[in-house]
Amino acid sequence: IPAVYAQEEERVSTPKIRALKQSLKDKEPLIQPFFDQGNIGEANSGFIQIRSEDSLSLKDKADLRRLTKEVNSERESLYAEVAKALNIEESQIPRIQKIFAKRWIENSRPGWWIQKDDGEWIRKQ
């Protein structure tokens, strides 16, 4: 049954959900270089996390922080909209986040930082 719910939560669609997913997709080319360089990683919480700002210029650090904040804010809104669309209690949003986290991590490229369920950070193989 949990797999069925996971499919439902990933596939539910409303205009707001589609807009949030599109906005996140539009940010991919901007955030991808930071994943490639190891500056950010996919956390097991369903959010991205800054891992290192070493060797970044002040401008790149500002861009990284801004993009991380924007992506995480949009993901937070996405999880809330999915819960709303499926009539799921707000207290269950962390479960939705975990479902999406698994998908974000699965879709990460080799070499990107990902966080395992136990909290350990590794580079995806």
Side-chain angles (χ1 to χ4, degrees):
I1 293 178
V4 172
Y5 286 126
Q7 288 177 351
E8 193 175 336
E9 288 163 342
E10 291 175 348
R11 292 185 182 156
V12 66
S13 185
T14 67
K16 283 186 179 180
I17 290 171
R18 285 190 298 276
L20 286 163
K21 285 183 175 181
Q22 185 60 51
S23 181
L24 288 165
K25 187 174 181 146
D26 291 346
K27 285 183 178 61
E28 285 177 10
L30 303 173
I31 201 100
Q32 183 181 328
F34 295 114
F35 275 112
D36 292 343
Q37 296 168 41
N39 301 114
I40 55 175
E42 280 291 350
N44 63 15
S45 62
F47 297 102
I48 58 174
Q49 185 174 320
I50 296 175
R51 298 212 12 94
S52 171
E53 294 181 338
D54 295 345
S55 75
L56 292 179
S57 68
L58 288 176
K59 180 193 177 308
D60 287 343
K61 286 180 186 180
D63 289 345
L64 172 64
R65 292 174 188 167
R66 177 184 51 78
L67 284 166
T68 299
K69 185 176 180 179
E70 288 175 9
V71 167
N72 285 338
S73 177
E74 288 180 3
R75 285 186 179 188
E76 185 173 28
S77 296
L78 173 65
Y79 305 144
E81 286 299 321
V82 167
K84 182 178 171 183
L86 294 174
N87 201 24
I88 296 173
E89 290 182 28
E90 196 171 303
S91 65
Q92 295 300 307
I93 290 177
R95 183 175 62 84
I96 294 169
Q97 289 175 221
K98 286 288 190 185
I99 291 166
F100 275 86
K102 183 178 180 191
R103 182 70 61 217
W104 301 125
I105 288 169
E106 285 173 1
N107 291 331
S108 294
R109 294 183 179 172
W112 287 6
W113 286 101
I114 57 172
Q115 190 178 33
K116 295 173 27 178
D117 288 338
D118 65 5
E120 178 187 3
W121 284 93
I122 61 168
R123 286 204 182 255
K124 185 173 179 182
Q125 298 298 312

